[in-house]
PDB file of all heavy atoms in Angstrom:
ATOM      1  N   LYS A  41      21.902  -6.815  -1.268  1.00 93.00           N
ATOM      2  CA  LYS A  41      21.350  -7.817  -2.175  1.00 93.00           C
ATOM      3  C   LYS A  41      20.619  -8.923  -1.418  1.00 93.00           C
ATOM      4  O   LYS A  41      19.813  -9.640  -1.993  1.00 93.00           O
ATOM      5  CB  LYS A  41      22.464  -8.453  -3.024  1.00 93.00           C
ATOM      6  CG  LYS A  41      23.182  -7.460  -3.906  1.00 93.00           C
ATOM      7  CD  LYS A  41      22.240  -6.895  -4.942  1.00 93.00           C
ATOM      8  CE  LYS A  41      22.972  -5.894  -5.823  1.00 93.00           C
ATOM      9  NZ  LYS A  41      22.059  -5.119  -6.635  1.00 93.00           N
ATOM     10  N   ALA A  42      20.908  -9.063  -0.128  1.00 95.00           N
ATOM     11  CA  ALA A  42      20.284 -10.114   0.680  1.00 95.00           C
ATOM     12  C   ALA A  42      20.357  -9.715   2.151  1.00 95.00           C
ATOM     13  O   ALA A  42      21.196  -8.899   2.540  1.00 95.00           O
ATOM     14  CB  ALA A  42      21.004 -11.439   0.469  1.00 95.00           C
ATOM     15  N   VAL A  43      19.482 -10.298   2.943  1.00 95.00           N
ATOM     16  CA  VAL A  43      19.496 -10.120   4.398  1.00 95.00           C
ATOM     17  C   VAL A  43      19.267 -11.497   5.010  1.00 95.00           C
ATOM     18  O   VAL A  43      18.318 -12.189   4.643  1.00 95.00           O
ATOM     19  CB  VAL A  43      18.381  -9.156   4.873  1.00 95.00           C
ATOM     20  CG1 VAL A  43      18.402  -9.011   6.388  1.00 95.00           C
ATOM     21  CG2 VAL A  43      18.510  -7.800   4.219  1.00 95.00           C
ATOM     22  N   ARG A  44      20.136 -11.885   5.913  1.00 97.00           N
ATOM     23  CA  ARG A  44      19.960 -13.167   6.597  1.00 97.00           C
ATOM     24  C   ARG A  44      18.759 -13.070   7.532  1.00 97.00           C
ATOM     25  O   ARG A  44      18.495 -12.026   8.126  1.00 97.00           O
ATOM     26  CB  ARG A  44      21.191 -13.511   7.424  1.00 97.00           C
ATOM     27  CG  ARG A  44      22.384 -13.825   6.592  1.00 97.00           C
ATOM     28  CD  ARG A  44      23.574 -14.109   7.471  1.00 97.00           C
ATOM     29  NE  ARG A  44      24.735 -14.243   6.623  1.00 97.00           N
ATOM     30  CZ  ARG A  44      25.762 -15.009   6.903  1.00 97.00           C
ATOM     31  NH1 ARG A  44      25.790 -15.682   8.031  1.00 97.00           N
ATOM     32  NH2 ARG A  44      26.758 -15.092   6.066  1.00 97.00           N
ATOM     33  N   PHE A  45      18.050 -14.190   7.665  1.00 97.00           N
ATOM     34  CA  PHE A  45      16.918 -14.219   8.591  1.00 97.00           C
ATOM     35  C   PHE A  45      17.371 -13.904  10.009  1.00 97.00           C
ATOM     36  O   PHE A  45      16.647 -13.246  10.763  1.00 97.00           O
ATOM     37  CB  PHE A  45      16.210 -15.575   8.558  1.00 97.00           C
ATOM     38  CG  PHE A  45      15.278 -15.743   7.397  1.00 97.00           C
ATOM     39  CD1 PHE A  45      15.118 -16.984   6.824  1.00 97.00           C
ATOM     40  CD2 PHE A  45      14.553 -14.687   6.879  1.00 97.00           C
ATOM     41  CE1 PHE A  45      14.255 -17.167   5.751  1.00 97.00           C
ATOM     42  CE2 PHE A  45      13.691 -14.847   5.815  1.00 97.00           C
ATOM     43  CZ  PHE A  45      13.539 -16.095   5.249  1.00 97.00           C
ATOM     44  N   SER A  46      18.556 -14.340  10.388  1.00 97.00           N
ATOM     45  CA  SER A  46      19.048 -14.049  11.742  1.00 97.00           C
ATOM     46  C   SER A  46      19.255 -12.544  11.934  1.00 97.00           C
ATOM     47  O   SER A  46      18.993 -12.022  13.019  1.00 97.00           O
ATOM     48  CB  SER A  46      20.344 -14.812  12.022  1.00 97.00           C
ATOM     49  OG  SER A  46      21.351 -14.468  11.085  1.00 97.00           O
ATOM     50  N   THR A  47      19.699 -11.851  10.885  1.00 97.00           N
ATOM     51  CA  THR A  47      19.862 -10.397  10.960  1.00 97.00           C
ATOM     52  C   THR A  47      18.501  -9.722  11.006  1.00 97.00           C
ATOM     53  O   THR A  47      18.281  -8.799  11.803  1.00 97.00           O
ATOM     54  CB  THR A  47      20.671  -9.876   9.757  1.00 97.00           C
ATOM     55  OG1 THR A  47      21.946 -10.520   9.742  1.00 97.00           O
ATOM     56  CG2 THR A  47      20.862  -8.377   9.822  1.00 97.00           C
ATOM     57  N   LEU A  48      17.572 -10.170  10.181  1.00 97.00           N
ATOM     58  CA  LEU A  48      16.219  -9.616  10.190  1.00 97.00           C
ATOM     59  C   LEU A  48      15.567  -9.834  11.548  1.00 97.00           C
ATOM     60  O   LEU A  48      14.921  -8.932  12.093  1.00 97.00           O
ATOM     61  CB  LEU A  48      15.394 -10.258   9.074  1.00 97.00           C
ATOM     62  CG  LEU A  48      13.982  -9.735   8.869  1.00 97.00           C
ATOM     63  CD1 LEU A  48      13.976  -8.242   8.562  1.00 97.00           C
ATOM     64  CD2 LEU A  48      13.306 -10.512   7.749  1.00 97.00           C
ATOM     65  N   GLU A  49      15.762 -11.015  12.119  1.00 98.00           N
ATOM     66  CA  GLU A  49      15.229 -11.305  13.451  1.00 98.00           C
ATOM     67  C   GLU A  49      15.809 -10.351  14.495  1.00 98.00           C
ATOM     68  O   GLU A  49      15.080  -9.804  15.323  1.00 98.00           O
ATOM     69  CB  GLU A  49      15.534 -12.750  13.839  1.00 98.00           C
ATOM     70  CG  GLU A  49      15.058 -13.110  15.226  1.00 98.00           C
ATOM     71  CD  GLU A  49      15.483 -14.504  15.654  1.00 98.00           C
ATOM     72  OE1 GLU A  49      16.140 -15.215  14.876  1.00 98.00           O
ATOM     73  OE2 GLU A  49      15.147 -14.866  16.792  1.00 98.00           O
ATOM     74  N   ALA A  50      17.118 -10.130  14.446  1.00 98.00           N
ATOM     75  CA  ALA A  50      17.767  -9.229  15.398  1.00 98.00           C
ATOM     76  C   ALA A  50      17.260  -7.795  15.234  1.00 98.00           C
ATOM     77  O   ALA A  50      17.010  -7.101  16.231  1.00 98.00           O
ATOM     78  CB  ALA A  50      19.282  -9.280  15.220  1.00 98.00           C
ATOM     79  N   MET A  51      17.068  -7.349  13.984  1.00 98.00           N
ATOM     80  CA  MET A  51      16.556  -5.994  13.744  1.00 98.00           C
ATOM     81  C   MET A  51      15.143  -5.862  14.303  1.00 98.00           C
ATOM     82  O   MET A  51      14.816  -4.853  14.951  1.00 98.00           O
ATOM     83  CB  MET A  51      16.576  -5.667  12.249  1.00 98.00           C
ATOM     84  CG  MET A  51      17.981  -5.534  11.701  1.00 98.00           C
ATOM     85  SD  MET A  51      18.079  -4.893  10.005  1.00 98.00           S
ATOM     86  CE  MET A  51      17.159  -6.118   9.089  1.00 98.00           C
ATOM     87  N   CYS A  52      14.308  -6.875  14.091  1.00 98.00           N
ATOM     88  CA  CYS A  52      12.938  -6.841  14.602  1.00 98.00           C
ATOM     89  C   CYS A  52      12.916  -6.875  16.132  1.00 98.00           C
ATOM     90  O   CYS A  52      12.104  -6.190  16.758  1.00 98.00           O
ATOM     91  CB  CYS A  52      12.121  -8.002  14.039  1.00 98.00           C
ATOM     92  SG  CYS A  52      11.751  -7.823  12.284  1.00 98.00           S
ATOM     93  N   ARG A  53      13.803  -7.657  16.720  1.00 98.00           N
ATOM     94  CA  ARG A  53      13.879  -7.733  18.180  1.00 98.00           C
ATOM     95  C   ARG A  53      14.261  -6.386  18.765  1.00 98.00           C
ATOM     96  O   ARG A  53      13.617  -5.892  19.694  1.00 98.00           O
ATOM     97  CB  ARG A  53      14.891  -8.808  18.605  1.00 98.00           C
ATOM     98  CG  ARG A  53      14.952  -9.037  20.107  1.00 98.00           C
ATOM     99  CD  ARG A  53      15.895 -10.165  20.529  1.00 98.00           C
ATOM    100  NE  ARG A  53      16.884 -10.613  19.563  1.00 98.00           N
ATOM    101  CZ  ARG A  53      18.061 -10.004  19.331  1.00 98.00           C
ATOM    102  NH1 ARG A  53      18.379  -8.917  19.979  1.00 98.00           N
ATOM    103  NH2 ARG A  53      18.904 -10.515  18.455  1.00 98.00           N
ATOM    104  N   VAL A  54      15.284  -5.759  18.196  1.00 98.00           N
ATOM    105  CA  VAL A  54      15.758  -4.468  18.701  1.00 98.00           C
ATOM    106  C   VAL A  54      14.695  -3.379  18.525  1.00 98.00           C
ATOM    107  O   VAL A  54      14.468  -2.556  19.415  1.00 98.00           O
ATOM    108  CB  VAL A  54      17.080  -4.064  18.007  1.00 98.00           C
ATOM    109  CG1 VAL A  54      17.429  -2.614  18.264  1.00 98.00           C
ATOM    110  CG2 VAL A  54      18.209  -4.977  18.462  1.00 98.00           C
ATOM    111  N   LEU A  55      14.033  -3.394  17.377  1.00 98.00           N
ATOM    112  CA  LEU A  55      13.038  -2.357  17.074  1.00 98.00           C
ATOM    113  C   LEU A  55      11.631  -2.722  17.545  1.00 98.00           C
ATOM    114  O   LEU A  55      10.712  -1.907  17.422  1.00 98.00           O
ATOM    115  CB  LEU A  55      13.026  -2.066  15.571  1.00 98.00           C
ATOM    116  CG  LEU A  55      14.314  -1.462  15.022  1.00 98.00           C
ATOM    117  CD1 LEU A  55      14.256  -1.395  13.503  1.00 98.00           C
ATOM    118  CD2 LEU A  55      14.561  -0.084  15.616  1.00 98.00           C
ATOM    119  N   GLU A  56      11.475  -3.945  18.068  1.00 98.00           N
ATOM    120  CA  GLU A  56      10.166  -4.435  18.510  1.00 98.00           C
ATOM    121  C   GLU A  56       9.122  -4.229  17.416  1.00 98.00           C
ATOM    122  O   GLU A  56       8.099  -3.574  17.602  1.00 98.00           O
ATOM    123  CB  GLU A  56       9.741  -3.756  19.812  1.00 98.00           C
ATOM    124  CG  GLU A  56      10.668  -4.051  20.958  1.00 98.00           C
ATOM    125  CD  GLU A  56      10.283  -3.358  22.252  1.00 98.00           C
ATOM    126  OE1 GLU A  56       9.447  -2.441  22.229  1.00 98.00           O
ATOM    127  OE2 GLU A  56      10.835  -3.753  23.285  1.00 98.00           O
ATOM    128  N   CYS A  57       9.426  -4.800  16.232  1.00 97.00           N
ATOM    129  CA  CYS A  57       8.540  -4.652  15.087  1.00 97.00           C
ATOM    130  C   CYS A  57       8.472  -5.958  14.312  1.00 97.00           C
ATOM    131  O   CYS A  57       9.127  -6.933  14.680  1.00 97.00           O
ATOM    132  CB  CYS A  57       9.006  -3.515  14.187  1.00 97.00           C
ATOM    133  SG  CYS A  57      10.578  -3.835  13.346  1.00 97.00           S
ATOM    134  N   GLN A  58       7.703  -5.966  13.257  1.00 98.00           N
ATOM    135  CA  GLN A  58       7.561  -7.115  12.375  1.00 98.00           C
ATOM    136  C   GLN A  58       8.395  -6.896  11.116  1.00 98.00           C
ATOM    137  O   GLN A  58       8.654  -5.742  10.745  1.00 98.00           O
ATOM    138  CB  GLN A  58       6.092  -7.309  11.993  1.00 98.00           C
ATOM    139  CG  GLN A  58       5.199  -7.682  13.170  1.00 98.00           C
ATOM    140  CD  GLN A  58       5.582  -9.023  13.759  1.00 98.00           C
ATOM    141  OE1 GLN A  58       5.766 -10.002  13.030  1.00 98.00           O
ATOM    142  NE2 GLN A  58       5.715  -9.083  15.073  1.00 98.00           N
ATOM    143  N   PRO A  59       8.798  -7.975  10.420  1.00 97.00           N
ATOM    144  CA  PRO A  59       9.570  -7.802   9.180  1.00 97.00           C
ATOM    145  C   PRO A  59       8.888  -6.877   8.174  1.00 97.00           C
ATOM    146  O   PRO A  59       9.552  -6.100   7.489  1.00 97.00           O
ATOM    147  CB  PRO A  59       9.694  -9.228   8.632  1.00 97.00           C
ATOM    148  CG  PRO A  59       9.634 -10.084   9.853  1.00 97.00           C
ATOM    149  CD  PRO A  59       8.663  -9.399  10.774  1.00 97.00           C
ATOM    150  N   GLY A  60       7.565  -6.923   8.107  1.00 97.00           N
ATOM    151  CA  GLY A  60       6.835  -6.057   7.180  1.00 97.00           C
ATOM    152  C   GLY A  60       6.932  -4.581   7.520  1.00 97.00           C
ATOM    153  O   GLY A  60       6.646  -3.726   6.675  1.00 97.00           O
ATOM    154  N   ASP A  61       7.320  -4.259   8.749  1.00 97.00           N
ATOM    155  CA  ASP A  61       7.541  -2.863   9.125  1.00 97.00           C
ATOM    156  C   ASP A  61       8.855  -2.346   8.543  1.00 97.00           C
ATOM    157  O   ASP A  61       9.033  -1.138   8.385  1.00 97.00           O
ATOM    158  CB  ASP A  61       7.566  -2.702  10.650  1.00 97.00           C
ATOM    159  CG  ASP A  61       6.254  -3.086  11.301  1.00 97.00           C
ATOM    160  OD1 ASP A  61       5.194  -2.867  10.682  1.00 97.00           O
ATOM    161  OD2 ASP A  61       6.290  -3.608  12.432  1.00 97.00           O
ATOM    162  N   LEU A  62       9.767  -3.266   8.242  1.00 97.00           N
ATOM    163  CA  LEU A  62      11.091  -2.896   7.744  1.00 97.00           C
ATOM    164  C   LEU A  62      11.228  -3.021   6.236  1.00 97.00           C
ATOM    165  O   LEU A  62      12.060  -2.342   5.638  1.00 97.00           O
ATOM    166  CB  LEU A  62      12.165  -3.776   8.405  1.00 97.00           C
ATOM    167  CG  LEU A  62      12.277  -3.696   9.916  1.00 97.00           C
ATOM    168  CD1 LEU A  62      13.287  -4.707  10.430  1.00 97.00           C
ATOM    169  CD2 LEU A  62      12.644  -2.289  10.342  1.00 97.00           C
ATOM    170  N   LEU A  63      10.433  -3.899   5.630  1.00 96.00           N
ATOM    171  CA  LEU A  63      10.556  -4.184   4.200  1.00 96.00           C
ATOM    172  C   LEU A  63       9.208  -4.001   3.511  1.00 96.00           C
ATOM    173  O   LEU A  63       8.180  -4.419   4.038  1.00 96.00           O
ATOM    174  CB  LEU A  63      11.037  -5.619   3.980  1.00 96.00           C
ATOM    175  CG  LEU A  63      12.345  -6.005   4.659  1.00 96.00           C
ATOM    176  CD1 LEU A  63      12.589  -7.491   4.518  1.00 96.00           C
ATOM    177  CD2 LEU A  63      13.504  -5.208   4.095  1.00 96.00           C
ATOM    178  N   GLU A  64       9.231  -3.392   2.330  1.00 95.00           N
ATOM    179  CA  GLU A  64       8.015  -3.201   1.549  1.00 95.00           C
ATOM    180  C   GLU A  64       8.303  -3.537   0.093  1.00 95.00           C
ATOM    181  O   GLU A  64       9.307  -3.102  -0.460  1.00 95.00           O
ATOM    182  CB  GLU A  64       7.551  -1.750   1.648  1.00 95.00           C
ATOM    183  CG  GLU A  64       6.318  -1.448   0.826  1.00 95.00           C
ATOM    184  CD  GLU A  64       5.926   0.014   0.868  1.00 95.00           C
ATOM    185  OE1 GLU A  64       6.651   0.818   1.477  1.00 95.00           O
ATOM    186  OE2 GLU A  64       4.896   0.342   0.266  1.00 95.00           O
ATOM    187  N   TRP A  65       7.426  -4.321  -0.514  1.00 94.00           N
ATOM    188  CA  TRP A  65       7.555  -4.644  -1.931  1.00 94.00           C
ATOM    189  C   TRP A  65       6.758  -3.633  -2.732  1.00 94.00           C
ATOM    190  O   TRP A  65       5.619  -3.305  -2.394  1.00 94.00           O
ATOM    191  CB  TRP A  65       7.032  -6.050  -2.209  1.00 94.00           C
ATOM    192  CG  TRP A  65       7.047  -6.388  -3.667  1.00 94.00           C
ATOM    193  CD1 TRP A  65       8.127  -6.769  -4.401  1.00 94.00           C
ATOM    194  CD2 TRP A  65       5.956  -6.343  -4.571  1.00 94.00           C
ATOM    195  NE1 TRP A  65       7.773  -6.970  -5.708  1.00 94.00           N
ATOM    196  CE2 TRP A  65       6.431  -6.714  -5.843  1.00 94.00           C
ATOM    197  CE3 TRP A  65       4.614  -6.018  -4.447  1.00 94.00           C
ATOM    198  CZ2 TRP A  65       5.618  -6.781  -6.959  1.00 94.00           C
ATOM    199  CZ3 TRP A  65       3.804  -6.087  -5.558  1.00 94.00           C
ATOM    200  CH2 TRP A  65       4.308  -6.465  -6.800  1.00 94.00           C
ATOM    201  N   VAL A  66       7.388  -3.094  -3.787  1.00 92.00           N
ATOM    202  CA  VAL A  66       6.733  -2.148  -4.688  1.00 92.00           C
ATOM    203  C   VAL A  66       6.824  -2.707  -6.097  1.00 92.00           C
ATOM    204  O   VAL A  66       7.897  -3.126  -6.532  1.00 92.00           O
ATOM    205  CB  VAL A  66       7.406  -0.755  -4.615  1.00 92.00           C
ATOM    206  CG1 VAL A  66       6.758   0.211  -5.591  1.00 92.00           C
ATOM    207  CG2 VAL A  66       7.332  -0.200  -3.201  1.00 92.00           C
ATOM    208  N   ASP A  67       5.726  -2.707  -6.815  1.00 89.00           N
ATOM    209  CA  ASP A  67       5.674  -3.216  -8.180  1.00 89.00           C
ATOM    210  C   ASP A  67       6.590  -2.387  -9.072  1.00 89.00           C
ATOM    211  O   ASP A  67       6.476  -1.168  -9.120  1.00 89.00           O
ATOM    212  CB  ASP A  67       4.236  -3.160  -8.680  1.00 89.00           C
ATOM    213  CG  ASP A  67       4.029  -3.858 -10.005  1.00 89.00           C
ATOM    214  OD1 ASP A  67       5.015  -4.319 -10.612  1.00 89.00           O
ATOM    215  OD2 ASP A  67       2.873  -3.937 -10.430  1.00 89.00           O
ATOM    216  N   ASP A  68       7.505  -3.051  -9.776  1.00 83.00           N
ATOM    217  CA  ASP A  68       8.415  -2.365 -10.700  1.00 83.00           C
ATOM    218  C   ASP A  68       7.659  -1.575 -11.757  1.00 83.00           C
ATOM    219  O   ASP A  68       8.044  -0.476 -12.127  1.00 83.00           O
ATOM    220  CB  ASP A  68       9.327  -3.364 -11.409  1.00 83.00           C
ATOM    221  CG  ASP A  68      10.675  -3.497 -10.750  1.00 83.00           C
ATOM    222  OD1 ASP A  68      11.020  -2.650  -9.914  1.00 83.00           O
ATOM    223  OD2 ASP A  68      11.389  -4.452 -11.075  1.00 83.00           O
ATOM    224  N   ASP A  69       6.566  -2.126 -12.265  1.00 79.00           N
ATOM    225  CA  ASP A  69       5.791  -1.446 -13.301  1.00 79.00           C
ATOM    226  C   ASP A  69       5.236  -0.126 -12.801  1.00 79.00           C
ATOM    227  O   ASP A  69       5.217   0.866 -13.522  1.00 79.00           O
ATOM    228  CB  ASP A  69       4.642  -2.331 -13.795  1.00 79.00           C
ATOM    229  CG  ASP A  69       5.153  -3.554 -14.540  1.00 79.00           C
ATOM    230  OD1 ASP A  69       6.296  -3.506 -15.054  1.00 79.00           O
ATOM    231  OD2 ASP A  69       4.429  -4.553 -14.587  1.00 79.00           O
ATOM    232  N   ALA A  70       4.789  -0.079 -11.557  1.00 64.00           N
ATOM    233  CA  ALA A  70       4.257   1.160 -10.994  1.00 64.00           C
ATOM    234  C   ALA A  70       5.355   2.210 -10.883  1.00 64.00           C
ATOM    235  O   ALA A  70       5.113   3.389 -11.123  1.00 64.00           O
ATOM    236  CB  ALA A  70       3.636   0.901  -9.621  1.00 64.00           C
ATOM    237  N   GLU A  71       6.571   1.784 -10.531  1.00 54.00           N
ATOM    238  CA  GLU A  71       7.685   2.734 -10.443  1.00 54.00           C
ATOM    239  C   GLU A  71       8.018   3.316 -11.811  1.00 54.00           C
ATOM    240  O   GLU A  71       8.282   4.495 -11.948  1.00 54.00           O
ATOM    241  CB  GLU A  71       8.933   2.048  -9.876  1.00 54.00           C
ATOM    242  CG  GLU A  71       8.925   1.929  -8.388  1.00 54.00           C
ATOM    243  CD  GLU A  71      10.256   1.432  -7.863  1.00 54.00           C
ATOM    244  OE1 GLU A  71      11.246   1.428  -8.621  1.00 54.00           O
ATOM    245  OE2 GLU A  71      10.309   1.065  -6.692  1.00 54.00           O
TER     246      GLU A  71
END
Side-chain angles (χ1 to χ4, degrees):
K41 298 295 180 192
V43 179
R44 291 178 187 210
F45 280 146
S46 59
T47 302
L48 184 59
E49 178 186 359
M51 292 189 300
C52 289
R53 185 176 17 82
V54 167
L55 295 172
E56 297 179 346
C57 68
Q58 294 296 312
D61 298 326
L62 299 175
L63 304 172
E64 178 184 4
W65 176 79
V66 178
D67 189 355
D68 263 346
D69 293 337
E71 279 188 14

